[in-house]
Amino acid sequence: MPTQEFSAHVAGNQLFELINRLFKKLSFKYMKNKIVLILSVKGMWLELMVKLLNELRRIYS
C-alpha cells in the first residue's frame, strides 16, 4: 500500500494508466488518505508487482 505522502502527490491518471497496463483485474480504494490497490494473487502477480514498483520508482525518483 502506498504511503499517505505518496498518495497525496501521485498523478492519479498516470498511476491508473500504468496499473491498467500491467493488471487486468484489480480494484482501487481510497482509505485513510491512502490509495489501496487490491489485486488477485493468481498467476504472475509478483512479477507484475515488481514491474509496477520499478516503474513508480523510475517516474517518481
Side-chain angles (χ1 to χ4, degrees), residues 9-24:
H9 294 94
V10 69
N13 58 340
Q14 190 176 24
L15 178 64
F16 185 76
E17 289 174 15
L18 173 62
I19 290 173
N20 275 325
R21 189 170 25 127
L22 294 174
F23 298 97
K24 301 301 178 213

Side-chain angles (χ1 to χ4, degrees), residues 35-61:
I35 299 168
V36 179
L37 308 175
I38 301 168
L39 56 112
S40 173
V41 291
K42 295 179 183 174
M44 299 174 54
W45 71 273
L46 185 57
E47 181 180 328
L48 294 174
M49 185 57 71
V50 170
K51 285 182 183 181
L52 172 63
L53 293 173
N54 285 332
E55 280 292 311
L56 291 173
R57 183 176 46 158
R58 184 185 63 77
I59 293 168
Y60 291 99
S61 295

Side-chain angles (χ1 to χ4, degrees), residues 26-40:
L26 87 146
S27 300
F28 284 93
K29 290 187 179 183
Y30 191 73
M31 300 179 344
K32 299 181 182 179
N33 297 321
K34 294 180 183 179
I35 299 168
V36 179
L37 308 175
I38 301 168
L39 56 112
S40 173

